[in-house]
Amino acid sequence: MVGSFRQHGNPAPYGDDVSGFYGVGGPVARPVVALASVAGVLTIDLSRGELFTLTLTENITSIIITGGPGAGFGYSFLLWITQHASIAKTVAFPAAFDWDGGAADTVSSQVGAVDLLAVSTRNGTAWDATLSKGRA
């Protein structure tokens, strides 16, 4: 099916018209939003979408997640993190992220490496996080 669609009667978070994208019964294409940090702070505004990219230009000391569905709703997002091209940078993940093994993971230190952060919540308050390292 090609044309516009709405989920549950509400516009998609990135606009109502997604002409040319598949809806029910087929793949759904989503825009990928490029993010940038400011003074070590990365803001991920979930009202802009669910697929994000970030190229590290500085150490990230804080991540703020805004625009989410709120308590009682599930949501997921993906963030592809590309390491700086010449000097490795670090990312401090939020304490609200629950990691396998209980400890926060670290981004790859190899320059130019691409890691994929997958984050999901089933209630809008607790976040499960997984970091897949060394993606191309």
Side-chain angles (χ1 to χ4, degrees):
M1 171 190 301
V2 176
S4 297
F5 75 97
R6 294 175 183 232
Q7 289 183 315
H8 306 293
N10 296 318
Y14 37 81
D16 186 23
D17 183 14
V18 288
S19 298
F21 296 83
Y22 291 103
V24 177
V28 177
R30 303 273 192 242
V32 178
V33 179
L35 301 176
S37 59
V38 177
V41 177
L42 175 65
T43 300
I44 302 172
D45 182 355
L46 299 179
S47 70
R48 296 181 63 201
E50 57 203 39
L51 304 174
F52 302 94
T53 61
L54 170 69
T55 298
L56 294 172
T57 58
E58 62 183 346
N59 292 327
I60 304 296
T61 57
S62 179
I63 297 176
I64 300 169
I65 300 172
T66 65
F73 293 92
Y75 199 81
S76 298
F77 69 90
L78 298 174
L79 172 63
W80 286 270
I81 303 170
T82 302
Q83 186 55 265
H84 191 272
S86 60
I87 300 172
K89 305 297 179 183
T90 61
V91 177
F93 294 105
F97 284 7
D98 185 22
W99 300 88
D100 286 340
D105 211 341
T106 58
V107 295
S108 296
S109 59
Q110 179 181 354
V111 295
V114 179
D115 295 345
L116 175 59
L117 176 68
V119 182
S120 295
T121 181
R122 55 186 173 272
N123 59 18
T125 57
W127 297 89
D128 295 319
T130 304
L131 188 66
S132 176
K133 297 183 179 185
R135 310 198 64 85

